[in-house]
Amino acid sequence: MNPTPPTVADLQCAIRNVPDFPKPGIQFKDITPVLADARLFAASIEHLTAGIAPGTVEAVVGIDARGFIFAAAAALRLQAGFVPVRKQGKLPAQTLEQSYDLEYGSNTVAIHADAVKPGSRVLLVDDLLATGGTAAAAVALLHRLHAEIVEARFLIELAFLHGRERLRGAPVRSLIVY
Ligand code: AMP
């Protein structure tokens, strides 16, 4: 007899809250217990890709670094390619870059200029939506490549930081909302 597959609530139970990491005041959502459990990891990918038929997106775009884990597995599930959005200076070929502001300073992310063809349907995936700066920069890069962002999906959303308001260019869905 097959046990029932883990629910989103089961995933939420497994996510570990680590106070004051990486600096005081941050409640870090640690997803490694989900990854370490075969059934939870598989269920996280099932839930993240729910409602998207295999073969209907060309690529799943993952954001450096934890987003890669979920996006790569989602790409296999959806019979799609995987495309990384990386921190500046990591991709070897010609790139497009996009900067965004942080509380102090700024960050830059990059994508290979030939990573997605104009008009391609892509799914954007990351582990967590916080202020939305990173995901908004990834959305901007995909728009500059003329990709069609079917949706941006996140395992976790910290709704009190209003990140989805910065993602007006793409429909947003998250599994677990704090
Ligand atoms: P942001 O650009 O503010 O939306 O930050 C999103 C990125 O930072 C995501 O890729 C997350 O992996 C990471 N992140 C931000 N806040 C947290 C948190 N409280 N717990 C875990 N990861 C976080």
Side-chain angles (χ1 to χ4, degrees):
M1 197 179 76
N2 282 335
T4 52
T7 62
V8 170
D10 294 326
L11 298 177
Q12 182 161 8
C13 284
I15 291 165
R16 176 164 54 193
N17 192 70
V18 183
D20 300 320
F21 182 88
K23 51 187 182 183
I26 304 285
Q27 302 287 329
F28 192 87
K29 304 297 179 200
D30 177 20
I31 49 85
T32 61
V34 172
L35 302 178
D37 181 302
R39 291 183 69 239
L40 291 177
F41 186 25
S44 72
I45 301 306
E46 287 302 314
H47 292 298
L48 265 176
T49 58
I52 302 176
T56 60
V57 294
E58 267 128 285
V60 181
V61 179
I63 302 179
D64 208 343
R66 285 180 297 274
F68 292 169
I69 302 163
F70 294 101
L76 288 176
R77 169 84 184 77
L78 295 177
Q79 295 166 15
F82 166 74
V83 170
V85 167
R86 294 214 64 181
K87 294 176 183 127
Q88 186 181 34
K90 301 286 187 186
L91 289 170
Q94 192 195 340
T95 57
L96 296 186
E97 297 191 344
Q98 187 76 35
S99 297
Y100 59 98
D101 290 332
L102 299 172
E103 197 178 345
Y104 302 102
S106 69
N107 253 352
T108 302
V109 290
I111 194 169
H112 271 146
D114 61 357
V116 294
K117 293 188 197 75
S120 309
R121 288 165 52 80
V122 303
L123 174 69
L124 180 64
V125 167
D126 200 2
D127 67 326
L128 187 143
L129 177 64
T131 66
T134 319
V139 166
L141 286 173
L142 291 166
H143 282 159
R144 286 166 61 191
L145 291 177
H146 306 288
E148 180 192 337
I149 305 171
V150 174
E151 237 176 75
R153 291 197 178 184
F154 303 88
L155 192 66
I156 303 164
E157 176 179 357
L158 305 183
F160 54 90
L161 295 175
H162 306 291
R164 67 169 61 217
E165 289 169 17
R166 293 171 76 168
L167 297 183
R168 294 248 165 73
V172 175
R173 188 185 297 196
S174 38
L175 298 182
I176 297 161
V177 180
Y178 291 95

